[in-house]
Amino acid sequence: MAFIEFKNVYKKYEKAPRPSVTDFNLDIDKGEFIAFVGPSGCGKSTTLRMLAGFESISEGEVYIGGKLVNDMAAFDRGVSMVFQNYALYPHMTVEKNIAFGLENMKLPPAEIQKKVDWAVKILGLEEYRTRKPRNLSGGQCQRVAVGRAIVKDREVLLMDEPLSNLDAKLRVSMRNEISKLHHEIGSTTIYVTHDQVEAMTMADRIVIMKDGIMQQVGEPMELYETPVNKFVAGFIGSPQMNFYDVKVQGNKLIFSDGSQITIPDETAANLKNYQNGVIMGIRGEDIKFDEVNMELFPNDQLSSVIENREIMGNENNLYFDVSGTTTVARVSKYDVAKSGDKVSFVMLPTKMHFFDPKTEERIAM
């Protein structure tokens, strides 16, 4: 039996045109790190709040440790929660903020001090323990909020977009700290974010949601390499996957401007029912400009003019037009192509993804 179970869970607000969460089913093992990810309004935070007990469940059942918690008070569910807003007490020091919840639990002072000392040490807050929030950085405040949650020794740690208020550098360092913390304390962690990079780098499994409906759940690379539909394919990965409306003629893909590329016979066989059109997707790193690939596919070269170049440091993103569609390719930092350059390239035929033009579901290859 899974440690946390969602069974056919719905959330419908009064007078809302549709449920905020629809038929949500998920099993989470003890000690897993699960990320809920999706665009704003997809239902990820609502699902987390139903688990925490801050939102009622319209239909379905939620279990924690084998116990039905639908009507259980939030305090009795054995969960701690870290919010987007730190919500620290401004008049209290770091250690007082961390200790406050334990004091309300009426724990012995010696035990409180032991837990606070442990949290301060594990979160690297020793030199700040006597400071008040106004004298801390955003990252330090977030660590205090995490400390306040973990000292309660709850089996489930819930985090609702805890890094969204931090700058880019702090987000990267806090991602690493939260991941290390999860491995050290072993709690079952559910992390809500709209940032797919956070989800990919931190989670054991990712739940992708759209319009209140779970689209896919799986390990990060599973979602990246075998997305179940066009939405997942476009949401996971940075830069996002490129998509084209193409026609299939034998083992040829025909773009809207008439340009053609060859696909393997097996791929063509799987697309035999899509002669009138199919959606082809390919990731930026699978568009190649190097001599080796150009020699491998001499009859399938396409050309375009670079419209923009993003220098990322370790790599570059090149933007150009393919058959009326803005395309981005991910290339080595040593690629010197720049805006205005005419370039030739190939799309690796074994790295293409195909989606039904009506349902946008993945076509198995």
Side-chain angles (χ1 to χ4, degrees), residues 264-281:
D265 292 340
E266 183 180 356
T267 301
N270 290 323
L271 297 175
K272 63 182 180 181
N273 296 324
Y274 293 91
Q275 302 297 310
N276 293 327
V278 70
I279 299 170
M280 186 271 280

Side-chain angles (χ1 to χ4, degrees), residues 109-130:
E111 185 175 351
I112 292 175
Q113 191 61 54
K114 182 178 179 181
K115 290 178 178 292
V116 170
D117 289 344
W118 169 77
V120 165
K121 181 178 180 181
I122 200 173
L123 292 169
L125 292 168
E126 290 100 330
E127 63 181 290
Y128 309 109
R129 62 190 304 155
T130 59

Side-chain angles (χ1 to χ4, degrees), residues 15-215:
K15 297 183 180 178
R18 60 174 178 80
S20 295
V21 177
T22 300
D23 199 21
F24 189 89
N25 290 275
L26 180 67
D27 290 345
I28 301 173
D29 291 333
K30 194 175 183 65
E32 265 197 295
F33 193 124
I34 300 291
F36 290 173
V37 65
S40 298
C42 71
K44 56 188 184 294
S45 290
T46 300
T47 304
L48 192 78
R49 292 175 66 85
M50 285 192 287
L51 176 61
F54 300 148
E55 292 280 0
S56 61
I57 298 168
S58 301
E59 293 181 40
E61 299 174 331
V62 175
Y63 294 84
I64 300 177
K67 296 180 180 179
L68 180 66
V69 300
N70 286 44
D71 300 317
M72 188 180 291
F75 181 81
D76 296 325
R77 296 190 182 196
V79 305
S80 291
M81 191 156 178
V82 180
F83 298 92
Q84 178 178 348
N85 187 328
Y86 320 129
L88 302 180
Y89 296 104
H91 62 288
M92 293 184 182
T93 63
V94 167
E95 59 182 0
K96 287 293 185 181
N97 264 285
I98 295 174
F100 185 74
L102 301 176
E103 292 170 352
N104 287 340
M105 295 167 64
K106 309 298 184 184
L107 295 182
E111 185 175 351
I112 292 175
Q113 191 61 54
K114 182 178 179 181
K115 290 178 178 292
V116 170
D117 289 344
W118 169 77
V120 165
K121 181 178 180 181
I122 200 173
L123 292 169
L125 292 168
E126 290 100 330
E127 63 181 290
Y128 309 109
R129 62 190 304 155
T130 59
R131 292 190 188 181
K132 293 181 179 179
R134 65 176 177 271
N135 297 317
L136 301 174
S137 69
Q140 290 159 356
C141 285
Q142 191 62 71
R143 278 185 273 168
V144 176
V146 171
R148 186 173 54 188
I150 64 174
V151 292
K152 294 178 182 178
D153 285 339
R154 299 300 178 94
E155 291 186 296
V156 181
L157 179 61
L158 308 180
M159 296 188 173
D160 192 1
E161 304 210 39
L163 308 186
S164 59
N165 290 330
L166 305 183
D167 61 43
K169 184 177 179 180
L170 274 175
R171 283 202 302 272
V172 172
S173 63
M174 281 300 297
R175 285 204 308 256
N176 183 51
E177 290 186 23
I178 289 173
S179 295
K180 288 195 301 182
L181 180 65
H182 168 74
H183 291 298
E184 289 185 31
I185 66 178
S187 62
T188 304
T189 303
I190 303 177
Y191 187 100
V192 163
T193 180
H194 64 276
D195 186 338
Q196 55 92 17
V197 175
E198 286 184 12
M200 289 285 287
T201 55
M202 298 172 71
D204 298 320
R205 288 191 297 155
I206 300 173
V207 177
I208 299 183
M209 299 183 68
K210 177 189 177 188
D211 298 331
I213 299 172
M214 181 193 297
Q215 302 294 304

Side-chain angles (χ1 to χ4, degrees), residues 332-348:
S332 163
K333 64 180 179 181
Y334 302 109
D335 192 305
V336 295
K338 58 185 183 298
S339 298
D341 286 353
K342 185 173 183 179
V343 294
S344 296
F345 57 91
V346 295
M347 298 180 175
L348 298 184

Side-chain angles (χ1 to χ4, degrees), residues 275-345:
Q275 302 297 310
N276 293 327
V278 70
I279 299 170
M280 186 271 280
I282 190 165
R283 297 202 180 276
E285 64 266 29
D286 297 322
I287 299 175
K288 300 296 185 180
F289 299 76
D290 61 284
E291 292 182 7
V292 173
N293 280 292
M294 299 295 279
E295 290 176 2
L296 283 174
F297 305 100
N299 299 319
D300 295 302
Q301 297 178 15
L302 302 175
S303 62
S304 187
V305 175
I306 302 299
E307 298 173 349
N308 187 34
R309 178 180 65 170
E310 291 179 340
I311 299 175
M312 309 301 290
N314 64 325
E315 62 189 17
N316 295 332
N317 292 332
L318 302 180
Y319 290 82
F320 48 94
D321 180 89
V322 174
S323 188
T325 298
T326 297
T327 298
V328 57
R330 204 176 183 182
V331 299
S332 163
K333 64 180 179 181
Y334 302 109
D335 192 305
V336 295
K338 58 185 183 298
S339 298
D341 286 353
K342 185 173 183 179
V343 294
S344 296
F345 57 91

